[in-house]
Amino acid sequence: MKKPALLIIDMQNDFASKKAVLPVAGAENVISPLTQVLSEFRARNLPIFHVVRVHHPDGSDVEWFRAEKFKSTPFAVRRTPGADVIDELKPKPGEYLLEKTRMSAFIGTGLDLTLRTLGIEIVVIAGIQTPNCIRTTVFDAMAYNYETVLVNDATGAQTREIHEANVLDMKNIGVTVINAPDLANWLDSI
């Protein structure tokens, strides 16, 4: 059996909670399917990575194209409630919390090294948002030679059209796309 790991991307209070300072439209729609995915990985004792975007309070590590936005509305500031994972998906002991400052979970982090150390061959990706952090993480996972699976209904974007266009692009590079209700059978098949 190939060993999978779950990467949950940016499901943080500042983006996906009722008190979000930069709410991602549709984020609330992925919580229920994502909870199902998380439960399945927990039941099988498979590695789970909660990937969160965090920034210094002064914004010195924010991308240049988001710097003005950060000045007016600071988001995902390290060690603030806004940077925390939403309550519905809170990490449990033994799960990984990975901080990033860029869109991809692989850029400037120890994710690849940790995955390889754990013997992971497949990454299962879910969270928000499809055209940005999800897409860049997926493309980098493929570039690092991981078999990559996207959980379609546990991933979201500002509109259904944006989400679907990006999912089609990911399918076209060889990403497997499944839905949360099909995860258990898919895991049984690998």
Side-chain angles (χ1 to χ4, degrees):
M1 174 180 149
K2 292 182 179 178
K3 190 171 180 184
L6 175 62
L7 309 182
I8 301 173
I9 311 295
D10 292 351
M11 293 301 292
Q12 299 164 250
N13 289 323
D14 274 354
F15 309 131
S17 75
K18 289 177 177 48
K19 297 178 182 176
V21 297
L22 285 180
V24 173
E28 66 280 355
N29 297 331
V30 305
I31 295 172
S32 179
L34 191 43
T35 301
Q36 183 180 354
V37 170
L38 183 58
S39 294
E40 191 65 37
F41 268 77
R42 284 175 173 164
R44 294 171 186 252
N45 201 31
L46 293 169
I48 297 164
F49 291 78
H50 299 267
V51 182
V52 294
R53 174 181 281 269
V54 295
H55 294 295
H56 294 297
D58 66 0
S60 59
D61 56 356
V62 175
E63 299 102 324
W64 68 267
F65 56 89
R66 292 185 180 177
E68 287 304 312
K69 180 63 153 175
F70 188 88
K71 284 180 190 174
S72 64
T73 310
F75 56 89
V77 175
R78 182 177 276 110
R79 292 186 284 283
T80 67
D84 291 342
V85 174
I86 61 172
D87 288 341
E88 297 90 335
L89 305 171
K90 281 280 186 221
K92 290 189 175 184
E95 296 175 1
Y96 298 87
L97 183 65
L98 179 81
E99 294 182 350
K100 66 182 177 79
T101 58
R102 293 294 180 260
M103 290 185 198
S104 173
F106 287 93
I107 300 298
T109 71
L111 180 59
D112 180 51
L113 179 62
T114 304
L115 292 172
R116 292 189 192 286
T117 300
L118 294 172
I120 301 300
E121 299 170 85
I122 304 170
V123 292
V124 177
I125 299 174
I128 54 173
Q129 65 167 320
T130 315
N132 300 333
C133 298
I134 297 296
R135 182 184 173 111
T136 57
T137 299
V138 163
F139 273 73
D140 284 349
M142 295 290 284
Y144 279 110
N145 217 29
Y146 291 99
E147 187 176 327
T148 306
V149 177
L150 180 76
V151 186
N152 189 38
D153 58 343
T155 307
Q158 298 233 342
T159 68
R160 192 84 217 142
E161 295 78 19
I162 291 170
H163 173 75
E164 289 173 2
N166 281 275
V167 170
L168 178 60
D169 281 346
M170 289 183 263
K171 277 184 183 178
N172 286 337
I173 64 163
V175 173
T176 300
V177 179
I178 64 172
N179 286 310
D182 303 320
L183 178 68
N185 287 337
W186 177 82
L187 285 168
D188 289 339
S189 74
I190 58 172

